[in-house]
Amino acid sequence: TDVVRHPVRPSPEGIFFQVNGRFQYVNPAALRVFGASHRNQIEGTPVLARVRRDAESRVRERLHELRDAQVPNPAIEVPLIRLDGSEFEAELLVVRAEVDREQGELVFLRDTTERQRAQAERSRLESQVRQSQKMESIGRLAGAVAHDFNNYLTVINGYSQLLLVKLEAGNPLRQPIDQIRLAGERAGALTRQLLSFSRRDDAEIVVFDLNATLRGIEKILGRLVGEQVRLEMELCPGECKIRADSGWISQVIMNLVVNSRDAMPDGGRILIRTSLAHFDADSEPNEAHRGDFALIEVVDNGFGMDEETRKHIFEPFYTTKKPGEGTGLGLSTVYTIVKRCDGWIEVISQPAEGCCFQIHLPLETHVAPVAVAPEPLPPVVAVGEIVVLLAEDQDEVREFLATSLRSSGYRVLTASGGEDALRVSAQFSSRIHLLLTDVVMPGLSGPELARRLLHLRPETKVMFMSGYAAGLMDKEMAGFPFLPKPIETGTLARRVHEAIQGR
């Protein structure tokens, strides 16, 4: 036995010699791995006693293979048990050996816990990088899709509104046209979801009372859930102030309510509840989650979800609904918005036991300044000979905007792009009161067109419009009014009036 003991004793690798399934000799490194302080704690005991029960048969089979094999067996990964009962993963390399005329196996033991932990961490980081790259790609796609989609919606929504204004109350065409308008508005909401999910929307971050915002959308939520679902609110007493974009929070609640509604096809109950929560070091290990928070809970008694579904519900385009019944963007948008508000979201659910979404948002403890109501604007009226130069490369969008502006009394000069707008300006001898231009156009962009036109006509006001978010636009646009698409008829007339008035 000394022939074995002396060479392996100083080895940093754990090594033991087994005979008939029992530890015959264990070197100091192996003792440390097993958590033993003395050889007597290990030597003479069954080897399989240190192997997790579900792996015993695998180790036994490997030893049988070794006895029959003509070449060394490869190393195997085995879950082992220390003397204190804790488990760890180890790599075993087993070699047949004869010591003091005793046939047995020399086993080289290596604790792989740290290696596996490092591999798991590396895998997690690689997964995060892949997810980040995927999200960035989807974000760019969302921005491009939203730009084109908003152009189409400008035409669809705009003309439906113009027709509704012209049709009398009893006209049978009003109902189908109104349905077109409603579908256009829903499509616009979907585009905003895409932009919010991809972080390419514009936000107005202010301090506001969460309870007041929820009360303000209660009727809308009631219409969303329909008559079969009972919607209830339990709001905490007093104010519950947070710092965010109120439109974001409304969108979060609407998406969660729609998700709950769809989980109750035969009807049920949805409860929206708010409360205040405080987390300290004793109750919350995550330092980022400590402090005062507003807690929003959306609870339903629908069919719930299993653990596997919960793992994926916040992934973009993941949905358990049938084709045509959902986009898979609702909950991913919720997750994105909550993260942007420095909050977090938890999901409590079991199959057939309903679902509870818990949203934690940082509570605003500072007193927000009282907002001053803006000075009322004069009513939008026909403005006679006020001239608007309209630059838009999409023919159908340009035609609608021109029609809408003319119906409001403006004189409209149209151009299909930047170069064409400069040509129209050069041929027009009278004053141009406003340049209304798309931002992204082939050739000469909107900001470059504005720069050149203002050099020639410094008295002309400028307003930009785009299906992209204002935050992504050229720095030259800073300080100029911006009109996001899709553009409604009433909004267009009012914003043009404001721009001309310098508001």
Side-chain angles (χ1 to χ4, degrees):
T1 307
D2 288 340
V3 176
V4 176
R5 292 180 181 180
H6 291 309
V8 303
R9 172 175 285 275
S11 172
E13 295 288 341
I15 302 175
F16 63 86
F17 181 63
Q18 67 169 21
V19 177
N20 296 326
R22 290 181 177 271
F23 291 101
Q24 184 78 9
Y25 168 73
V26 183
N27 79 340
L31 288 176
R32 288 193 297 271
V33 170
F34 283 116
S37 58
H38 195 274
R39 296 204 329 262
N40 292 340
Q41 295 175 281
I42 296 289
E43 291 181 357
T45 64
V47 173
L48 290 181
R50 304 267 63 85
V51 179
R52 201 171 68 194
R53 185 176 299 276
D54 60 353
E56 288 180 7
S57 60
R58 183 153 52 98
V59 175
R60 192 179 291 111
E61 289 173 5
R62 178 54 59 91
L63 294 176
H64 285 307
E65 292 172 1
L66 177 65
R67 295 187 182 99
D68 300 332
Q70 300 300 317
V71 295
N73 280 272
I76 59 172
E77 293 278 347
V78 179
L80 300 182
I81 304 173
R82 297 185 179 90
L83 291 183
D84 63 4
S86 61
E87 296 181 1
F88 65 100
E89 292 291 330
E91 187 179 73
L92 301 183
L93 179 63
V94 185
V95 180
R96 293 178 62 183
E98 180 178 336
V99 177
D100 293 342
R101 298 182 182 181
E102 287 189 285
Q103 294 288 340
E105 291 81 32
L106 196 61
V107 182
F108 296 84
L109 166 68
R110 176 177 296 173
D111 186 344
T112 60
T113 303
E114 289 302 321
R115 185 179 70 187
Q116 292 193 350
R117 185 179 292 118
Q119 289 175 342
E121 178 65 13
R122 183 167 62 249
S123 176
R124 185 185 68 82
L125 292 175
E126 290 173 352
S127 176
Q128 285 184 344
V129 170
R130 288 193 299 269
Q131 181 70 4
S132 176
Q133 292 172 339
K134 180 172 70 173
M135 296 287 280
E136 179 62 26
S137 298
I138 293 175
R140 287 195 296 267
L141 174 63
V145 169
H147 172 262
D148 292 338
F149 202 38
N150 282 332
N151 273 330
Y152 300 138
L153 289 177
T154 294
V155 178
I156 295 171
N157 297 355
Y159 276 121
S160 62
Q161 290 164 357
L162 284 176
L163 288 172
L164 287 173
V165 170
K166 294 180 180 296
L167 293 175
E168 297 177 356
N171 194 305
L173 291 176
R174 285 189 64 89
Q175 197 273 338
I177 293 174
D178 194 47
Q179 289 300 311
I180 294 173
R181 179 188 61 81
L182 288 173
E185 290 179 356
R186 294 188 186 115
L190 176 59
T191 307
R192 289 190 293 274
Q193 280 192 359
L194 276 169
L195 291 173
S196 179
F197 154 72
S198 63
R199 299 192 175 195
R200 292 171 178 258
D201 61 342
D202 297 313
E204 184 180 0
I205 308 299
V206 296
V207 176
F208 63 92
D209 180 21
L210 173 63
N211 289 339
T213 296
L214 294 179
R215 292 189 194 97
I217 62 172
E218 186 172 5
K219 290 185 178 179
I220 298 175
L221 296 175
R223 289 195 293 269
L224 277 176
V225 300
E227 296 180 355
Q228 286 187 299
V229 176
R230 187 170 77 257
L231 179 70
E232 298 178 3
M233 282 193 180
E234 292 181 4
L235 306 183
C236 62
E239 292 185 327
C240 183
K241 292 193 174 183
I242 61 173
R243 182 183 297 273
D245 183 301
S246 62
W248 284 356
I249 303 305
S250 298
Q251 188 175 354
V252 164
I253 301 303
M254 288 182 185
N255 286 351
L256 291 178
V257 165
V258 168
N259 183 75
S260 293
R261 179 203 65 189
D262 293 343
M264 301 182 294
D266 298 324
R269 173 178 177 262
I270 300 175
L271 171 64
I272 300 174
R273 182 167 52 212
T274 63
S275 59
L276 305 181
H278 177 78
F279 302 99
D280 53 24
D282 294 331
S283 60
E284 177 53 59
N286 189 335
E287 188 173 350
H289 293 174
R290 296 173 192 168
D292 296 313
F293 291 85
L295 173 61
I296 313 171
E297 295 177 284
V298 178
V299 187
D300 66 62
N301 56 357
F303 44 67
M305 64 185 85
D306 56 27
E307 183 178 356
E308 185 63 26
T309 301
R310 289 202 308 273
K311 292 179 181 178
H312 300 286
I313 56 174
F314 296 121
E315 295 177 4
F317 306 111
Y318 175 82
T319 180
T320 58
K321 299 175 184 177
K322 297 178 182 178
E325 293 184 357
T327 62
L329 276 175
L331 292 181
S332 62
T333 301
V334 168
Y335 181 84
T336 300
I337 290 175
V338 172
K339 293 290 286 184
R340 292 176 75 176
C341 295
D342 297 323
W344 78 95
I345 184 169
E346 297 176 358
V347 185
I348 303 172
S349 183
Q350 292 291 336
E353 294 184 11
C355 185
C356 174
F357 285 87
Q358 296 181 331
I359 299 170
H360 302 77
L361 300 173
L363 196 65
E364 182 63 35
T365 56
H366 300 291
V367 179
V370 178
V372 179
E375 180 184 347
L377 292 167
V380 177
V381 294
V383 287
E385 289 301 311
I386 291 181
V387 178
V388 177
L389 174 56
L390 171 64
E392 165 62 59
D393 60 298
Q394 295 288 329
D395 294 344
E396 61 273 21
V397 178
R398 184 175 64 253
E399 184 177 345
F400 159 70
L401 294 175
T403 300
S404 181
L405 287 170
R406 288 177 181 131
S407 69
S408 296
Y410 295 101
R411 182 176 180 183
V412 183
L413 308 176
T414 59
S416 59
E419 292 90 348
D420 190 29
L422 291 176
R423 181 187 58 79
V424 171
S425 173
Q427 294 176 354
F428 188 73
S429 59
S430 300
R431 179 183 176 184
I432 295 178
H433 297 81
L434 177 69
L435 168 65
L436 176 59
T437 177
D438 194 18
V439 174
V440 180
M441 295 184 293
L444 202 63
S445 69
E448 179 62 18
L449 164 62
R451 188 183 66 80
R452 296 192 188 183
L453 187 68
L454 288 175
H455 180 72
L456 300 171
R457 295 174 176 267
E459 78 285 353
T460 299
K461 302 293 178 62
V462 176
M463 182 161 67
F464 294 103
M465 58 182 176
S466 179
Y468 291 111
L472 299 179
M473 298 299 102
D474 197 295
K475 291 182 180 179
E476 290 186 64
M477 293 175 50
F480 290 100
F482 177 80
L483 185 59
K485 296 177 180 176
I487 303 171
E488 297 183 352
T489 303
T491 302
L492 174 65
R494 180 176 179 81
R495 293 297 304 279
V496 166
H497 179 80
E498 291 173 352
I500 293 171
Q501 295 295 319
R503 304 291 182 98

